[in-house]
Amino acid sequence: MMQGLSTAIAKSVIHHGRVLGRNSQIIQTLRPPCEVFINHRGAETKRSIAGLLHNFLSLLDVHPFLDNRSMKPGDKLFDEIDAAIYGCKVGVVVFSPLYCESRFCLHELALLMETKKRVVPIFCDVKPSQLHVRDDLKHSANNLQRYRLAVEEAKNTVGLTFYSSKGDWSKLVRDASDAVIRNLLEAEEEKPQLEPKFAQSTE
């Protein structure tokens, strides 16, 4: 299965490379260290969609952030993650059955929403209606409200739905990368254009 997936991804890289190549000047302009932040619950999705998408985007010369692959020993966890979120253009949020049990996931999601980043939700083995932040005393009242608002906003954002028992992993990676690249290009187009500076006459 993994060999077939690798072949499919390799073919997709060639296709996406051609598409991305036509827009390389846009993507390269003022490129930040992190362009795409991948928010996920590691125990459920790091070795599947989160890891696959990180590899695929890296092959396309897009700069994704995935905690265990983007940080090195000695880095301060929250400082690095928060900086990556502030600096990114697009967030990919991989929802999974136990996603809302992780305060780390919820913190990252809330920060993505509060900083008005473009977000691509992927509902992996879970329906949007099944995502709820419980009031189990793990969160302060303020954070509980932030997390619930962020989850609701993500649930009301058009995303991708995938069930691992019957889904096509290579298609999911292609579809997710398509959405990421489209949002990156649109984010660049929305950036305010600097007014041209004209040399003043000394006459």
Side-chain angles (χ1 to χ4, degrees):
M1 176 181 174
M2 292 306 295
Q3 183 177 1
L5 178 58
S6 299
T7 302
I9 288 178
K11 292 179 180 178
S12 294
V13 168
I14 295 173
H15 167 72
H16 283 79
R18 291 170 181 161
V19 174
L20 195 59
R22 293 196 292 269
N23 300 287
S24 59
Q25 289 184 334
I26 298 175
I27 292 293
Q28 292 288 343
T29 303
L30 299 176
R31 166 174 285 184
C34 165
E35 292 175 296
V36 181
F37 185 90
I38 302 176
N39 165 248
H40 68 296
R41 189 172 187 273
E44 294 180 297
T45 59
K46 192 183 299 293
R47 298 181 65 182
S48 55
I49 181 56
L52 290 170
L53 184 59
H54 176 275
N55 292 345
F56 190 87
L57 292 173
S58 297
L59 289 171
L60 295 178
D61 200 27
V62 174
H63 290 182
F65 183 98
L66 187 65
D67 50 13
N68 71 321
R69 302 190 187 184
S70 302
M71 295 191 295
K72 59 185 183 299
D75 285 344
K76 295 186 181 299
L77 183 64
F78 282 107
D79 289 350
E80 292 293 323
I81 287 176
D82 288 1
I85 292 173
Y86 279 112
C88 77
K89 299 174 184 176
V90 176
V92 176
V93 180
V94 183
F95 288 109
S96 51
L98 298 179
Y99 176 96
C100 289
E101 299 296 315
S102 169
R103 68 183 183 91
F104 296 103
C105 290
L106 295 171
H107 165 77
E108 294 167 7
L109 175 63
L111 199 54
L112 284 167
M113 294 304 189
E114 290 163 358
T115 52
K116 306 299 182 183
K117 302 299 182 181
R118 287 174 168 267
V119 168
V120 178
I122 300 176
F123 301 98
C124 188
D125 293 325
V126 67
K127 297 178 181 178
S129 60
Q130 295 174 310
L131 295 167
H132 302 285
V133 181
R134 296 184 300 173
D135 185 4
D136 53 8
L137 304 181
K138 289 195 304 184
H139 314 298
S140 67
N142 179 60
N143 280 338
L144 182 64
Q145 182 180 24
R146 291 176 61 232
Y147 299 161
R148 284 177 169 173
L149 286 173
V151 169
E152 288 304 311
E153 187 174 352
K155 287 163 62 174
N156 289 312
T157 302
V158 177
L160 303 171
T161 301
F162 182 80
Y163 291 95
S164 57
S165 61
K166 57 184 179 181
D168 181 338
W169 285 103
S170 61
K171 183 178 185 303
L172 174 62
V173 173
R174 290 196 305 271
D175 290 346
S177 63
D178 281 344
V180 166
I181 291 170
R182 183 176 64 252
N183 277 276
L184 282 174
L185 294 173
E186 290 175 357
E188 284 294 336
E189 291 172 357
E190 290 174 355
K191 287 174 60 175
Q193 298 295 316
L194 296 177
E195 294 184 3
K197 295 182 179 180
F198 298 97
Q200 294 183 349
S201 174
T202 57
E203 295 181 0

